[in-house]
Amino acid sequence: MIKKSVCKNILFPIFLLAFSNGITAQRIDSLVTIMGEKYPQEKIYLHLDKNYYNAGETIWFKAYLTADNLISSLSKTVYAELIDDKGSILQKKIMPVYESGAASNFDLPDSISNTQLFIRAYTSWMLNFDSTLLYLKPVQIIPATNTAKKLPAPVTTFSLTLFPEGGDLVEGISCRVAFKATDQEGVPVFVSGNIINETAKKITSFAAAHNGMGYFSITPLAGEKYKAVWKDKKGIQHETFLPDAKKQAVALSISNGEDGLQYTLKRPDSADEAFTSYMVVAQMQHQMVYSAKINMSVKKEVNASIVTEDFNDGILQLTVFNAAQIPVAERLVFINHNNYSFITDLHAIEKNMAKHGHNTLQIDVGDTIISNLSIAVTDAGINPATNNEESIYSHLLLTSDLKGYVYNPAYYFSSDADSVKQHLDLVMMTNGWRRFKWENLLAKQWPKITFPVDNYLSVRGNVYGLSKTQLAKKELICYLKTKSKTSDFIILPLSADGQFRLTGMYLFDTAKLYYQINNDKEKRLTSVASFSFKNEIANATSPSSNLLSSLYFNLKPDSSSFQKNMKLAALQRSYLESNKVKTLKTVIVASKTKSLKEKLEEEYTSGFFSGGDGYTFTMQDDPFAQSALSVLDYLRGKVAGLQVSADGQSVSWRGSATSLFLNETNSDISMVQSMSMNDIAMIKVYRPPFFGASGGGAGGAIAIYTKKGSENAAVKGLDFVNIYGYSAIKEFYMPDYATTNDPNKPDYRSTLYWNPFLIMDKKTRRIKVPFYNSDNCKKIRVVIEGINKNGQLTHEEKLFE
């Protein structure tokens, strides 16, 4: 069980002093409590099946949702987006939360040319806070060919950043100064050098201890300036100035031991009154866990301890306020009692590395509480572990709370060795807290809540054309029918101005919502009224290109993995193209049958809409069409130059609005976006200008053609509308070589097995996972991640060969 954090006030009588200006532990505690109770912070982590992808492959992912390092009871829906390097949304998935998890996939087109893509994930509630807190991960796409224009190599530069412990150097007081050295891409580099004063006298030396990080101690003298003189790995000498030491300040130092935290406050010999009285507070995930008032009017140094045995695992933020209610020193510490995880036992009970060999893994969880796991089994030669990995531990417990980039964060949870703990403390000294700012909290500047907590899916609408008298005490009676043939009767009250809202919907793909005003004899009111329906789908603002570029350069495949993935992609393309050629020859010889596009073009189009310069998409031969939320969602990323807004409410080309046609009749975006993809036979996109549109069609045109016999049901919409549900679930494909084994069909899979929902409980504590090997895999990499009902996490990784 995870222990709940307990507020412990360890007071030292000789230090007690009441602040005359009103800052108290109770006031800070109440503000932190309000922040935690009214504005809880959700976090999302995504487990992907692998690190690199080829064009035409599927990105499989599982989202894990927590709040304040426990399972989240807030949001019921998770959104995930595939984004290009310009911030444009290529695909969007909407998923229900089940046992703190949600899962879906992105299908990469065969023709994709981007090598820089990103996955962003969030809940509606998370949009009320800083957008940088949304989960955002770069994904490496191996190009379809190696003929892309080679960009010049960036100029290699190195930087050294200095971080005085607590925040400030103080005159005459010994202080530790942490440092971090990186290259221009954020990759750590080893550095060493000396600290010298203005007369070039050596004060001390320093050298990186881990991933470009380390620390040194210095006692700055009044009026003196200092600088670090160091050499990069090319042997070039650099100089980095230390921040000026302050006269009026407090020096904070912390040591983190098995018995708890020990902290020390030191002040200069002469200090103003504001720097002789302090309040020391510590919080973890918006819970106050410690507070003390300290009087330093006589003493210049105070040592104190914090018992942490009842604290949760995670980052503790210790802050020192002076008598003027100003935070003057701060330090982050990672509390680790090894309570954050639960054990999953993974081993192979059947191992066969031969071509198409049958393998079986066994997973055991000792606890009886519900656990939600995901497992990825991949070809380790194609998807090896890198030297810059993240895990469910490192993201949810570490990097999601830190301001700054952490290289290879998974390392800090790889071992209980003292060296790893010391290295993690260097991360604490070289990064800041990102969840809130004390100045905003003390000023009671609370986040503005624009997006309420969702209750699964919701639809909002209006009834127009009726007076308030006609609307008085009226209801909308609805009949919801899903594709799976389930149905439900719903009664929605109408407000005085005709508004209504339907919440708590749990359905996939699309459904038909039949409606009319209740107790409306002969539909007198229903027939004269008009109705609007809109799915309440959360849409985050597009990330800036600067943010994306800063993330992307930290993910690069090693040359070996890159070449193996390129070779695999070439084999896949060669096989597909050869089969296309064989199929084409067979068709030509047999009967010269018209293609589906030609058939639909002949059957549906006329006039300006026949032929034309553009693109034609047929729904019947596109297996991914039905998973699209709408027509415009389906077209995202498929047509170069066509711009679809993030909320799907506008579309343009070359700066001009794109004309919309439904069965060659002018239509509007609300009508087009309300259509079910199941009712659509073909979509044609015409490059600008399109002369079949009024005004010359400067923005081109989109023509949607509905299936014969379904136009009336889908278009007129007098009695029903199409409601969008959660994204359709795609099943992971795995061949069964026990029943079929075509020797001529190659198996180039790099992901051998993927399952986003392995649910363990008191009745199911062991699960066996069978799968077949591919053609050439010689080493298998297995990664399991998960969360249980107590909010504990798990990460297990093994290689089998």
Side-chain angles (χ1 to χ4, degrees):
M1 291 288 292
I2 288 205
K3 299 177 182 178
K4 185 178 176 70
S5 295
V6 179
C7 178
K8 291 198 172 192
N9 296 314
I10 301 177
L11 304 178
F12 304 90
I14 59 172
F15 307 145
L16 295 182
L17 176 70
F19 285 87
S20 59
N21 53 14
I23 185 171
T24 64
Q26 289 77 16
R27 180 188 173 218
I28 295 177
D29 191 4
S30 66
L31 293 175
V32 172
T33 300
I34 291 173
M35 187 72 182
E37 291 181 352
K38 292 189 176 181
Y39 309 97
Q41 302 271 314
E42 288 185 320
K43 304 176 187 177
I44 287 180
Y45 165 75
L46 259 56
H47 176 197
L48 274 62
D49 63 315
K50 55 182 184 173
N51 293 323
Y52 315 122
Y53 297 89
N54 293 317
E57 290 189 324
T58 297
I59 300 174
W60 302 95
F61 63 88
K62 167 75 171 289
Y64 290 96
L65 179 65
T66 65
D68 297 333
N69 287 358
L70 296 171
I71 61 173
S72 176
S73 60
L74 297 173
S75 298
K76 302 296 187 293
T77 300
V78 169
Y79 300 86
E81 297 163 338
L82 188 66
I83 300 174
D84 66 16
D85 56 344
K86 297 180 177 60
S88 299
I89 298 172
L90 305 179
Q91 297 180 41
K92 184 168 185 171
K93 300 292 182 173
I94 306 175
M95 302 158 283
V97 176
Y98 175 70
E99 297 294 353
S100 298
S104 192
N105 64 278
F106 293 116
D107 293 308
L108 299 174
D110 293 331
S111 58
I112 191 169
S113 58
N114 302 69
T115 60
Q116 304 177 8
L117 295 181
F118 304 83
I119 297 180
R120 181 172 65 176
Y122 55 89
T123 65
S124 176
W125 178 253
M126 290 171 70
L127 299 182
N128 294 304
F129 307 97
D130 189 341
S131 61
T132 62
L133 299 177
L134 305 184
Y135 182 87
L136 185 60
K137 180 182 177 65
V139 178
Q140 174 72 51
I141 308 299
I142 305 299
T145 61
N146 206 10
T147 57
K149 183 179 178 181
K150 190 173 182 179
L151 299 175
V155 178
T156 303
T157 59
F158 304 95
S159 63
L160 179 71
T161 310
L162 304 171
F163 305 86
E165 185 174 18
D168 292 318
L169 292 176
V170 184
E171 291 181 355
I173 297 177
S174 177
C175 177
R176 290 196 301 178
V177 178
F179 61 86
K180 180 163 64 174
T182 63
D183 66 12
Q184 78 284 353
E185 296 188 341
V187 178
V189 294
F190 175 82
V191 295
S192 62
N194 298 313
I195 304 299
I196 63 174
N197 64 11
E198 293 171 300
T199 63
K201 178 184 176 181
K202 176 183 172 181
I203 306 301
T204 189
S205 60
F206 65 91
H210 172 73
N211 274 355
M213 298 179 293
Y215 72 87
F216 58 86
S217 297
I218 186 173
T219 304
L221 302 178
E224 278 207 355
K225 295 182 180 297
Y226 303 90
K227 62 183 176 182
V229 180
W230 53 282
K231 289 185 178 181
D232 61 33
K233 62 182 182 181
K234 291 185 175 181
I236 300 174
Q237 183 168 296
H238 302 263
E239 295 181 352
T240 303
F241 283 91
L242 274 67
D244 293 340
K246 293 183 176 181
K247 281 186 178 181
Q248 299 298 325
V250 63
L252 167 67
S253 61
I254 288 183
S255 63
N256 187 5
E258 293 183 0
D259 298 329
L261 300 179
Q262 290 75 43
Y263 69 89
T264 300
L265 299 182
K266 297 180 182 179
R267 69 163 177 83
D269 293 337
S270 57
D272 293 344
E273 185 178 350
F275 288 91
T276 59
S277 302
Y278 297 98
M279 173 73 71
V280 179
V281 301
Q283 71 86 22
M284 297 184 70
Q285 300 301 318
H286 310 119
Q287 293 184 56
M288 279 275 287
V289 294
Y290 173 86
S291 66
K293 297 177 183 178
I294 297 181
N295 180 358
M296 297 183 68
S297 59
V298 176
K299 284 185 171 284
K300 292 183 292 183
E301 180 176 333
V302 169
N303 298 292
S305 299
I306 303 176
V307 179
T308 62
E309 64 181 358
D310 290 327
F311 293 178
N312 282 342
D313 293 348
I315 295 176
L316 178 145
Q317 177 190 27
L318 188 140
T319 308
V320 181
F321 294 87
N322 68 7
Q325 305 188 38
I326 299 172
V328 293
E330 186 167 280
R331 173 77 146 81
L332 302 182
V333 183
F334 194 88
I335 305 298
N336 186 3
H337 303 304
N338 287 321
N339 291 327
Y340 63 82
S341 64
F342 67 96
I343 296 174
T344 51
D345 180 24
L346 165 68
H347 62 280
I349 60 176
E350 181 185 8
K351 186 172 64 172
N352 188 345
M353 295 294 109
K355 177 180 179 181
H356 301 174
H358 188 269
N359 297 265
T360 304
L361 303 177
Q362 182 172 295
I363 304 163
D364 294 276
V365 174
D367 256 327
T368 59
I369 61 175
I370 296 176
S371 303
N372 188 351
L373 311 179
S374 53
I375 179 172
V377 182
T378 57
D379 183 339
I382 302 296
N383 180 48
T386 69
N387 58 1
N388 187 11
E389 294 274 339
E390 76 167 355
S391 70
I392 192 170
Y393 297 150
S394 66
H395 183 79
L396 293 178
L397 296 175
L398 183 66
T399 55
S400 60
D401 288 333
L402 293 180
K403 184 181 295 182
Y405 175 66
V406 179
Y407 184 83
N408 195 23
Y411 160 78
Y412 301 104
F413 299 87
S414 63
S415 167
D416 290 329
D418 289 341
S419 59
V420 176
K421 294 178 181 178
Q422 292 165 5
H423 297 160
L424 177 55
D425 198 49
L426 290 175
V427 175
M428 296 294 97
M429 295 179 70
T430 54
N431 291 274
W433 180 256
R434 69 189 300 199
R435 289 285 162 181
F436 65 83
K437 296 179 180 179
W438 279 114
E439 52 266 37
N440 293 341
L441 196 67
L442 294 174
K444 298 182 180 180
Q445 295 178 0
W446 307 112
K448 183 180 179 181
I449 301 302
T450 306
F451 300 89
V453 174
D454 67 71
N455 179 23
Y456 293 106
L457 297 176
S458 301
V459 171
R460 183 184 296 277
N462 276 83
V463 178
Y464 300 103
L466 300 180
S467 66
K468 289 186 177 181
T469 301
Q470 291 173 310
L471 287 168
K473 298 181 179 180
K474 287 294 188 293
E475 297 169 326
L476 200 65
I477 184 169
C478 304
Y479 175 65
L480 184 66
K481 188 174 183 179
T482 68
K483 285 186 175 180
S484 60
K485 307 304 180 183
T486 60
S487 58
D488 193 14
F489 281 101
I490 305 161
I491 295 179
L492 302 175
L494 298 177
S495 66
D497 56 356
Q499 295 186 38
F500 58 88
R501 188 168 183 255
L502 171 60
T503 65
M505 294 190 302
Y506 190 100
L507 58 97
F508 289 87
D509 206 345
T510 58
K512 293 187 185 299
L513 184 67
Y514 297 83
Y515 60 90
Q516 75 171 52
I517 295 175
N518 201 9
N519 297 321
D520 181 22
K521 294 182 179 180
E522 298 180 2
K523 294 187 178 181
R524 291 177 180 177
L525 295 178
T526 304
S527 61
V528 298
S530 58
F531 301 81
S532 71
F533 296 81
K534 182 179 180 181
N535 278 82
E536 293 185 322
I537 296 175
N539 294 292
T541 57
S542 297
S544 68
S545 56
N546 288 338
L547 173 61
L548 297 178
S549 61
S550 69
L551 286 172
Y552 184 75
F553 61 55
N554 291 310
L555 181 74
K556 287 188 172 181
D558 61 78
S559 57
S560 175
S561 299
F562 184 88
Q563 293 301 324
K564 287 179 179 179
N565 275 275
M566 284 284 292
K567 183 179 179 180
L568 177 65
L571 289 172
Q572 291 172 335
R573 286 195 305 275
S574 176
Y575 173 73
L576 292 173
E577 289 171 3
S578 65
N579 275 275
K580 285 180 181 178
V581 171
K582 292 176 183 177
T583 302
L584 181 61
K585 288 181 178 178
T586 302
V587 169
I588 291 174
V589 172
S591 59
K592 296 185 179 180
T593 303
K594 292 181 180 179
S595 69
L596 177 62
K597 287 184 181 180
E598 290 172 331
K599 287 181 178 180
L600 294 179
E601 180 85 12
E602 184 177 302
E603 181 180 358
Y604 284 86
T605 64
S606 62
F608 283 111
F609 297 89
S610 298
D613 181 20
Y615 305 81
T616 300
F617 304 96
T618 57
M619 304 301 101
Q620 184 177 328
D621 59 1
D622 187 347
F624 306 128
Q626 304 308 316
S627 64
L629 295 174
S630 64
V631 170
L632 297 186
D633 181 59
Y634 171 78
L635 291 175
R636 286 186 196 276
K638 284 185 165 59
V639 179
L642 188 71
Q643 300 294 318
V644 179
S645 64
D647 61 3
Q649 296 304 305
S650 65
V651 57
S652 61
W653 204 337
R654 297 180 186 174
S656 299
T658 302
S659 301
L660 300 175
F661 295 88
L662 189 56
N663 297 323
E664 300 185 358
T665 301
N666 276 308
S667 185
D668 58 28
I669 201 159
S670 60
M671 176 65 75
V672 167
Q673 288 292 77
S674 68
M675 296 182 63
S676 169
M677 293 298 293
N678 282 327
D679 294 325
I680 297 173
M682 178 174 64
I683 301 173
K684 296 194 68 175
V685 182
Y686 302 88
R687 292 187 179 91
F690 177 65
F691 297 109
S694 59
I702 299 173
I704 300 101
Y705 295 88
T706 56
K707 296 175 182 177
K708 297 294 185 179
S710 65
E711 293 96 324
N712 293 334
V715 175
K716 292 184 178 180
L718 297 178
D719 297 316
F720 74 88
V721 292
N722 290 302
I723 299 299
Y724 297 111
Y726 289 113
S727 302
I729 297 175
K730 178 181 177 180
E731 185 177 354
F732 178 81
Y733 167 75
M734 182 178 63
D736 182 3
Y737 289 123
T739 58
T740 176
N741 196 347
D742 182 356
N744 297 319
K745 184 177 181 179
D747 184 349
Y748 298 129
R749 289 174 300 138
S750 55
T751 298
L752 306 178
Y753 182 84
W754 165 258
N755 192 333
F757 282 105
L758 294 177
I759 305 299
M760 316 282 273
D761 55 24
K762 63 181 180 181
K763 293 183 179 179
T764 306
R765 297 167 63 182
R766 170 177 292 174
I767 291 179
K768 294 181 180 179
V769 174
F771 63 92
Y772 288 93
N773 197 10
S774 62
D775 285 359
N776 300 304
C777 177
K778 304 303 180 185
K779 183 187 295 185
I780 291 173
R781 181 186 180 195
V782 183
V783 177
I784 296 175
E785 296 193 298
I787 190 170
N788 67 18
K789 274 287 190 180
N790 287 340
Q792 292 171 302
L793 312 172
T794 192
H795 175 92
E796 179 76 9
E797 181 170 344
K798 285 187 178 180
L799 293 174
F800 298 99
E801 55 184 322

